Amino acid sequence: GESVGLHLPTLSVQEGDNSIINCAYSNSASDYFIWYKQESGKGPQFIIDIRSNMDKRQGQRVTVLLNKTVKHLSLQIAATQPGDSAVYFCAENRIQGAQKLVFGQGTRLTINP
Amino acid sequence: DTAVSQTPKYLVTQMGNDKSIKCEQNLGHDTMYWYKQDSKKFLKIMFSYNNKELIINETVPNRFSPKSPDKAHLNLHINSLELGDSAVYFCASSQRGPGYNEQFFGPGTRLTVL
């Protein structure tokens, strides 16, 4: 259901440090997971994805970890920069005959200088 | 070039009015979507169209009527606007399945109902 009434989780880190953003997903049948970044006043932007048959995937400065046993997803951002400040969403794809992204609550990441 | 564009960016209107939001994508994608993002940043799919055919309708009130004149456009018409319709509406597009293909989002339309 919707996360009505909940405040957006926040995470503050110092510039240059690593950050880890966590996400719990709900459907064990989901087969594809995506992290999106949303900057203020903009639409969500794709960061990295991972299929359910993988545990880890690395991109440029980002790593996604998937733990299907506990239905947990994490996004690690290395050497954070001011431009990393944004709201980060995890999303799961439940194919069921069509592409249907179900988004998590979102985490606001703030990079402190 | 803008991949997914929406107009208007801001829309302020009175309760009971009818309004439309337009979306266009120049990526050659077959599938387009509308999402609603509430004040808590919760993002939820409303509709998806695949080559002008409705694929997903997430129990959205029938005051909301998507219209796809061609596969590059998906407009959202809202009748009898209510206070609870205030939100940011995002259009997105992707290649057709099977499997998952990355969805590209537009910049959003902030709708405020007074």
Side-chain angles (χ1 to χ4, degrees):
Chain A
E2 295 189 16
S3 57
V4 175
L6 296 177
H7 293 290
L8 194 66
T10 58
L11 175 65
S12 292
V13 299
Q14 291 298 119
E15 182 178 352
D17 287 352
N18 299 333
S19 67
I20 299 176
I21 300 171
N22 297 303
C23 176
Y25 65 92
S26 57
N27 190 341
S28 57
S30 293
D31 53 3
Y32 208 93
F33 303 89
I34 311 100
W35 281 99
Y36 276 89
K37 172 186 180 183
Q38 186 178 21
E39 296 176 273
S40 181
K42 297 184 179 180
Q45 179 184 11
F46 173 91
I47 302 174
I48 191 168
D49 56 17
I50 188 168
R51 293 186 184 276
S52 58
N53 61 356
M54 301 170 68
D55 298 322
K56 179 179 180 179
R57 189 159 188 232
Q58 287 184 293
Q60 188 175 10
R61 287 201 304 118
V62 294
T63 300
V64 55
L65 299 178
L66 175 62
N67 185 331
K68 294 182 287 294
T69 303
V70 295
K71 293 189 284 188
H72 183 269
L73 196 65
S74 68
L75 176 70
Q76 301 176 1
I77 305 175
T80 52
Q81 303 168 357
D84 294 331
S85 292
V87 177
Y88 289 81
F89 294 94
C90 65
E92 55 186 301
N93 190 54
R94 306 174 187 178
I95 294 213
Q96 298 175 354
Q99 292 191 69
K100 179 181 171 182
L101 283 184
V102 177
F103 282 81
Q105 183 181 18
T107 297
R108 185 181 300 281
L109 176 65
T110 302
I111 308 302
N112 301 314
Chain B
D1 283 345
T2 303
V4 182
S5 60
Q6 298 177 225
T7 54
K9 188 166 175 62
Y10 300 96
L11 184 54
V12 181
T13 188
Q14 299 285 333
M15 268 196 310
N17 284 350
D18 304 336
K19 291 293 180 185
S20 292
I21 306 172
K22 296 185 176 181
C23 177
E24 176 181 3
Q25 54 93 6
N26 62 5
L27 297 167
H29 290 161
D30 290 309
T31 307
M32 297 184 72
Y33 312 80
W34 277 108
Y35 287 84
K36 178 180 180 181
Q37 187 172 47
D38 65 20
S39 59
K40 304 294 184 188
K41 293 288 190 181
F42 186 73
L43 194 59
K44 185 172 166 57
I45 190 168
M46 300 172 68
F47 302 102
S48 79
Y49 267 73
N50 195 333
N51 202 12
K52 303 195 297 176
E53 179 185 356
L54 181 65
I55 301 297
I56 294 174
N57 182 340
E58 281 294 291
T59 60
V60 177
N62 57 15
R63 298 183 296 104
F64 290 78
S65 53
K67 287 186 171 51
S68 183
D70 55 61
K71 74 172 192 177
H73 295 83
L74 181 62
N75 304 323
L76 184 64
H77 188 76
I78 315 170
N79 290 327
S80 303
L81 279 156
E82 301 177 356
L83 293 176
D85 297 332
S86 295
V88 181
Y89 292 85
F90 288 99
C91 177
S93 72
S94 71
Q95 292 284 15
R96 186 176 181 168
Y100 176 77
N101 291 299
E102 180 185 341
Q103 294 185 21
F104 294 80
F105 284 78
T109 296
R110 181 175 292 277
L111 171 65
T112 303
V113 182
L114 304 175

